[in-house]
Amino acid sequence: MPAKTGKQYVERLKRAKSSVYIHGEKVDDVTVHPAFRNVIRSMAALYDRQYEKPEKMLYRSPTTGQPVGMTFIQPTTIEELIARREATQEWARLSAGMMGRSPDYLNAEVMAMGVANDLFAEDDPMFAENAKNYYEYARENDISLTHTLIHPQMNRAKALHEQKDADVPLHLVERRKDGIIVSGIRLLATQGGITDEILVFPSTVKKSTSSEDPYALAFAIPNNTPGVKFICREAFDYGRSAWDHPLAARFEEGDAIVSFENVFVPWERVFVCGNSSICNRTFRETNAVIHMSHQVVAKNIVKTEFLLGVTLCLIEAIGIGEFQHVKDKGTEIMLVLETMKSHLYRAEHNAKRDRWGTMTPDFAALDAARNWYPRIYPRLSEIIRILGASGLMAIPTEADFHNEEIGDIVRRAMQGATVDGYERVQLFRLAWDLTMSAFGARQTHYEYYFFGDPVRMGMAYFDGYEKEPYKQFVREFLCTAKSVFIPSDSKS
């Protein structure tokens, strides 16, 4: 079937009736539940955009000729790589970059692993074929995915098999002729319960040993598979208007604990089964991490553009644009934006075809960007809070403006240099929701840990960085300095 519409996305969720729990209750229909309905509308808008701009968002399936999502494409030229990125940014602009798990993120992963599937064949050729077939299935049916990568924290000082209750982390229970049985808990499924399927892979930031083979699993199953439960955290969409909560009321993706209770996974949906070595190498050796990073950097550029826009509007609204420290803080955000754009440009224009024929971005540029942005994003949020100051605390609601007794008072009290009180508060509520509300705080936390612990990632980056040329540069310089040294007491 061709790429789906927003209506089809919603209808699938209604039919699925996945086991989703929030606030201590089981959800009968996520599409109408207050915690999910607004973000589902936003997700539907992404799929509708595919048909509103088909020249940018769709391409012809290589197997059926049907129009399918551009974000699933296996790029074979730099032009196709850029076209995929432009589709990603088209989607990102609809949410101002606030939806960290829009469908394109995992579409890139499924593509990379489906094409570069021979790694999975190390265990059994069947697994490579499964990865290939799943990519085609996901692309042709426009499957939306959530995923889980990490186990519950429990006792971080011990390995999984050393835990007091070693059956809590998701693990292999039984191999059967027709598939496997798995049980346990996984974190952290963003958009859990509002997608078609769930992709389970282990995190590779921390490498596993063979002693953890029972936990080394990779598979994909429908969200409504018997035994799968999504236990969602408290919703940050409080049912308020998009005026009062301009971001949370539209883009609150939600995060979930996922419980697998003796869940059956057919063999055709399994990619890795009990092999830590393959799991450890999957993201890097299939180049999935590169294509996922390409999507993330593209999304983060849009997000930074939005932060800069909010900052500039805030500065103008209250007339602080001529202060030295204000300009300096605005410059910080501009420098981040231009640096991220430079990383992206280098990544795309230095791209090379890998051995599977996929045009693959320069990972050195993307790796630097994905390590740097989590460290700098909290500062971007801080800048908006500093510039907004007390104005981010004194923010009436829209209802206050319509109250007969206080409406005029609020409008006069909240006026700015270039905007009236109503417009200024609307802008400041956006800045507040971006940085200080529960939604905004989650955005900062989420970006900081987007690819994992940034300190551990930094250690991996340091260890993998090619250091020898720079040390050799210094050694040669020192040797040169010795050869030209002239003693101070020498005579001319």
Side-chain angles (χ1 to χ4, degrees), residues 277-292:
S277 173
I278 294 177
C279 282
N280 288 340
R281 295 178 286 136
T282 291
F283 285 96
R284 191 63 188 91
E285 292 193 14
T286 64
N287 288 334
V289 67
I290 303 179
H291 292 281
M292 296 164 78

Side-chain angles (χ1 to χ4, degrees), residues 474-492:
V474 173
R475 295 187 193 109
E476 292 174 357
F477 181 85
L478 292 174
C479 288
T480 303
K482 290 177 183 177
S483 66
V484 299
F485 176 70
I486 301 175
S488 60
D489 60 350
S490 64
K491 297 180 180 179
S492 58

Side-chain angles (χ1 to χ4, degrees), residues 441-453:
R442 185 259 185 194
Q443 287 288 320
T444 301
H445 198 67
Y446 199 75
E447 291 295 351
Y448 188 74
Y449 286 105
F450 195 99
F451 279 104
D453 176 7

Side-chain angles (χ1 to χ4, degrees), residues 197-342:
E197 301 203 358
I198 181 169
L199 186 63
V200 175
F201 265 91
S203 171
T204 55
V205 174
K206 181 181 179 182
K207 305 302 182 184
S208 298
T209 64
S210 59
S211 61
E212 296 186 352
D213 279 353
Y215 307 96
L217 300 165
F219 57 86
I221 53 176
N223 281 357
N224 63 356
T225 299
V228 176
K229 292 183 173 69
F230 293 90
I231 305 166
C232 302
R233 62 158 170 78
E234 176 187 6
F236 299 151
D237 179 354
Y238 301 123
R240 303 289 291 279
S241 72
W243 198 97
D244 287 342
H245 291 243
L247 300 175
R250 298 172 63 194
F251 309 119
E252 156 62 333
E253 295 178 285
D255 306 291
I257 300 166
V258 188
S259 172
F260 299 82
E261 301 173 34
N262 290 312
V263 172
F264 171 70
V265 183
W267 279 120
E268 60 266 24
R269 288 303 197 94
V270 179
F271 315 122
V272 181
C273 184
N275 191 315
S276 294
S277 173
I278 294 177
C279 282
N280 288 340
R281 295 178 286 136
T282 291
F283 285 96
R284 191 63 188 91
E285 292 193 14
T286 64
N287 288 334
V289 67
I290 303 179
H291 292 281
M292 296 164 78
S293 297
H294 185 230
Q295 184 273 344
V296 171
V297 172
K299 182 268 296 181
N300 285 343
I301 286 172
V302 173
K303 191 169 192 173
T304 308
E305 288 174 339
F306 188 73
L307 266 73
L308 177 58
V310 170
T311 302
L312 295 174
C313 288
L314 187 153
I315 290 170
E316 182 180 71
I318 56 175
I320 57 174
E322 294 306 312
F323 292 105
Q324 186 180 46
H325 81 94
V326 171
K327 289 184 177 182
D328 185 61
K329 289 177 174 61
T331 296
E332 285 189 57
I333 302 178
M334 293 171 183
L335 293 175
V336 171
L337 176 59
E338 295 306 319
T339 302
M340 292 292 285
K341 287 180 179 179
S342 296

Side-chain angles (χ1 to χ4, degrees), residues 60-129:
R60 292 289 170 185
S61 164
T63 56
T64 67
Q66 295 268 29
V68 293
M70 179 65 76
T71 59
F72 279 108
I73 195 172
Q74 177 198 2
T76 57
T77 65
I78 289 178
E79 290 74 21
E80 288 179 345
L81 185 67
I82 291 173
R84 184 184 68 179
R85 184 258 298 164
E86 288 177 344
T88 281
Q89 292 188 317
E90 182 70 30
W91 266 356
R93 287 189 181 93
L94 290 177
S95 69
M98 297 299 141
M99 296 178 71
R101 288 295 184 265
S102 53
D104 44 327
Y105 179 70
L106 290 175
N107 293 355
E109 177 182 351
V110 168
M111 179 282 297
M113 293 183 181
V115 172
N117 56 64
D118 47 336
L119 172 66
F120 305 121
E122 286 187 13
D123 210 3
D124 191 314
M126 167 183 68
F127 296 140
E129 191 67 18

Side-chain angles (χ1 to χ4, degrees), residues 411-422:
R411 192 176 296 273
R412 289 182 61 203
M414 295 293 103
Q415 63 184 293
T418 60
V419 291
D420 65 24
Y422 185 86

